[in-house]
Amino acid sequence: MYIINILHMIYLFREVFFIILQAIKKYGRVMLFPGIICAILLYIFLQQDPSNKEEAYTITTIPQQQSEEVIRDEATESAEKSIEKIMVDIKGAVKSPGVYELTTFDRVIDAIERAGGYTADAQSVAVNHAQKLQDEMVIYIPKTGEEPVQSFASGQISSSPATSDNSLDDKVDLNSADEGRLTTLPGIGPSKAQAIIAYREESGPYKTIEDLKNVSGIGDKTFEKLKDKIIVK
């Protein structure tokens, strides 16, 4: 680039010198002084440093770069503010059940990993690992053999939730209920309650609720009234 500038300068000087000579021949020495002035001005013009233009261009780009950095910083700060810390309760078949602090950007799988992961007897097929977490959420992981129940209260998740335990607790366990508890069932008086207890003492624990029909005095009609109110644990 420097060599090109020199060649260009030589070319211009040659052209100016040629023009001055032509003017002197035509008009005499009166054109000598204006010609010299023109040559000097041309020399000064060519001596200007083109790097000044580049420097000026570089300076004008600095505010733009600073503006972009400010925009990125504001976007990052906004994203950080949108991340809220929440508390999630993880129960059931995980290695370390408990309450954990996570964020609204985390998913159910993140909560399970914080709790140490699944135990060997965990039943995870019905668990939605991709679901986003919410504050005060309860995640219950059932064990193999537990009957899956699909929903908790709003904002909670479970395949066998704590709220369903309340409905199970309302049911009478044929293997543990005493006479007073059994008599709360429709159509079961003291004598039938004693017969239910005697059956499990003689034949062993009830394996299914249908075994209740083996008790003397309890037929199909009575069983139909009881089947939604009894359970075997």
Side-chain angles (χ1 to χ4, degrees):
M1 187 69 180
Y2 180 71
I3 295 174
I4 294 174
N5 288 337
I6 292 176
L7 294 175
H8 184 63
M9 186 184 300
I10 294 172
Y11 174 78
L12 290 176
F13 269 117
R14 187 174 66 83
E15 291 297 319
V16 170
F17 184 72
F18 178 76
I19 293 171
I20 292 172
L21 287 179
Q22 293 295 325
I24 291 172
K25 289 179 180 179
K26 186 174 182 179
Y27 299 104
R29 293 185 179 181
V30 71
M31 293 299 299
L32 180 60
F33 181 74
I36 294 172
I37 296 299
C38 291
I40 293 172
L41 292 175
L42 178 62
Y43 177 78
I44 294 173
F45 174 77
L46 294 174
Q47 287 297 312
Q48 290 183 356
D49 188 359
S51 63
N52 292 336
K53 295 181 180 180
E54 296 179 359
E55 183 178 354
Y57 175 77
T58 303
I59 292 173
T60 58
T61 60
I62 291 177
Q64 182 179 357
Q65 293 174 352
Q66 291 176 343
S67 176
E68 291 176 354
E69 290 176 359
V70 170
I71 293 173
R72 285 197 297 268
D73 291 341
E74 289 177 351
T76 302
E77 184 178 354
S78 176
E80 290 176 350
K81 287 182 179 179
S82 65
I83 301 176
E84 298 180 7
K85 291 184 177 180
I86 58 175
M87 304 301 292
V88 177
D89 189 6
I90 310 173
K91 303 175 182 290
V94 290
K95 294 179 181 178
S96 301
V99 177
Y100 291 89
E101 182 181 279
L102 293 112
T103 72
T104 51
F105 276 20
D106 290 320
R107 309 278 179 161
V108 169
I109 186 62
D110 298 315
I112 293 170
E113 289 176 355
R114 285 289 302 276
Y118 290 122
T119 58
D121 58 348
Q123 180 176 287
S124 60
V125 176
V127 178
N128 182 5
H129 295 100
Q131 182 175 343
K132 282 190 174 182
L133 300 179
Q134 301 176 26
D135 193 29
E136 300 181 2
M137 190 180 215
V138 179
I139 302 173
Y140 182 85
I141 306 301
K143 295 181 180 180
T144 302
E146 288 187 51
E147 183 179 353
V149 180
Q150 283 303 316
S151 63
F152 252 149
S154 177
Q156 300 175 331
I157 176 176
S158 176
S159 294
S160 182
T163 50
S164 68
D165 290 344
N166 294 332
S167 62
L168 294 178
D169 289 341
D170 292 336
K171 294 184 178 183
V172 176
D173 182 9
L174 297 178
N175 287 325
S176 62
D178 58 13
E179 181 178 336
R181 178 72 167 146
L182 290 169
T183 56
T184 62
L185 294 170
I188 303 298
S191 60
K192 287 185 179 180
Q194 292 174 5
I196 293 172
I197 295 172
Y199 178 86
R200 75 188 185 209
E201 290 176 348
E202 294 172 3
S203 304
Y206 291 91
K207 295 180 180 179
T208 65
I209 60 174
E210 284 77 13
D211 289 344
L212 186 62
K213 291 189 289 184
N214 297 329
V215 177
S216 177
I218 298 180
D220 291 335
K221 290 183 179 180
T222 303
F223 178 78
E224 286 298 316
K225 296 178 182 178
L226 299 175
K227 67 178 183 179
D228 293 330
K229 302 179 183 300
I230 57 177
I231 192 173
V232 171
K233 292 184 180 179

